[in-house]
Amino acid sequence: VVAGWWYARNFWLYGELNYVAPGYAGLPPGVSFIDALAAGYVWMLVHRTIVGIFLSIWAQVGWFPEAIAGSLYTVLGVLLAVAGAGWVCVAFRAARRKTQVTPRRARDLTAVMLPFLIIYLLIHYVVIFVHQGPYQGGRYAMFALAGFVTFLALGWEAVAPRKLRAVGAAVLLAFFLLLNAVSMWNLITYLNPTHAAAFNFWTTMPGT
């Protein structure tokens, strides 16, 4: 319903539902995947995309003020690593049968988290074989963001002491609200005044 008109337009103009201009794939023209893998091109693209998605999944690249963006991404990287460590703990507990996951819960987690994994891998595929543009394509995973949030929340829960979980949740909520406020402030005070005029039709017309 939302995107149907756009697909209809693409099919009318290009004969394809989602037209992508050729010549922008990550692999050099005429180089096979095996040769690119051996030469290191594939690993370079994968690394670039991993970093790009990490930077863009929290906010569009550039939304955090440049002066503090590095520090913010360091904190977010630590939080992501802690969540990953939490899932390692979950795996060890499951292996030792100290915790059990019911079939219903396993299905629910799969339904929530699998779409994010699929789109994450698909972005890598697109960058390598179709078009390099989405290498900072965190926005393309927004429809599956619940999977990423679930990964983080359950990972943090696995390593947090029970008595501190409520406090930790409150601190994290306040931190993410602060990130939103910082992004909005940067958009209003710097990004919009600096760049909006270049995309304003009326201000770019001759004689205005």
Side-chain angles (χ1 to χ4, degrees), residues 76-100:
L76 292 169
V78 171
L79 290 175
L80 182 60
V82 171
W87 279 95
V88 172
C89 293
V90 170
F92 275 115
R93 292 168 187 168
R96 296 175 182 176
R97 296 184 179 180
K98 290 186 177 182
T99 60
Q100 292 184 347

